[in-house]
Amino acid sequence: MKKKIIILAVVLLVVAGAFWAKGYYNDRYVVSDCYYTQIPEDEVNEDSWLVDKDGVKQAKGKSYELIGYNEQGEQREVYFTKSGSAEDYYAPGTYIKVSMSKTITLGVEVVEEPSVPQTALEKIQELGTKAD
């Protein structure tokens, strides 16, 4: 009888762990929505460094913290980086599509204005993309 209880407990733990792992994976590594943003027109592209959470220089690059809008016009802060030097950074006015999971940025791509959904484009033009 004890053996059956132990086996049942182990099976329940394995099943619970599998559900937790699937949820974690989906929340972190599966695109939940795409947000559109624009590099502000007054953005200055100068050589800079990416830094870690302790402020230690890591590599040349630029960090972007902007507001993005999805197809329904809902806003979300979007974070992404661009490695390299000033000539590699996104030009002011460039439209960017940011693929986001519930927790992190999964992909960044440059898009042309006609590819930006109309509702998102209206929000970008009306409210801007600078994060406070």
Side-chain angles (χ1 to χ4, degrees):
M1 183 63 163
K2 284 183 182 180
K3 216 177 205 183
K4 287 182 182 180
I5 293 173
I6 292 172
I7 291 172
L8 180 61
V10 169
V11 168
L12 288 175
L13 283 173
V14 168
V15 169
F19 276 108
W20 175 85
K22 183 174 181 355
Y24 176 82
Y25 179 85
N26 286 341
D27 287 350
R28 187 141 176 102
Y29 301 110
V30 174
V31 173
S32 64
D33 209 347
C34 294
Y35 292 83
Y36 297 84
T37 190
Q38 183 181 34
I39 305 301
E41 291 290 344
D42 61 355
E43 188 78 20
V44 177
N45 283 341
E46 298 175 339
D47 281 348
S48 57
W49 292 88
L50 297 171
V51 295
D52 66 13
K53 64 180 179 175
D54 298 320
V56 177
K57 290 181 181 179
Q58 298 298 306
K60 277 195 161 194
K62 184 168 184 158
S63 177
Y64 294 89
E65 296 178 15
L66 300 170
I67 301 295
Y69 303 91
N70 66 10
E71 288 186 13
Q72 294 76 35
E74 298 165 339
Q75 79 175 41
R76 177 176 178 179
E77 287 188 13
V78 294
Y79 306 95
F80 52 95
T81 60
K82 181 75 172 166
S83 297
S85 56
E87 62 268 5
D88 300 315
Y89 304 156
Y90 298 112
T94 302
Y95 287 96
I96 306 288
K97 177 182 177 183
V98 184
S99 301
M100 303 283 297
S101 72
K102 290 182 181 178
T103 57
I104 61 172
T105 300
L106 297 174
V108 176
E109 66 180 285
V110 173
V111 295
E112 297 298 322
E113 184 177 335
S115 299
V116 179
Q118 189 61 37
T119 304
L121 185 60
E122 290 169 2
K123 293 285 188 174
I124 290 169
Q125 293 168 346
E126 176 186 335
L127 302 173
T129 60
K130 286 189 176 183
D132 293 330

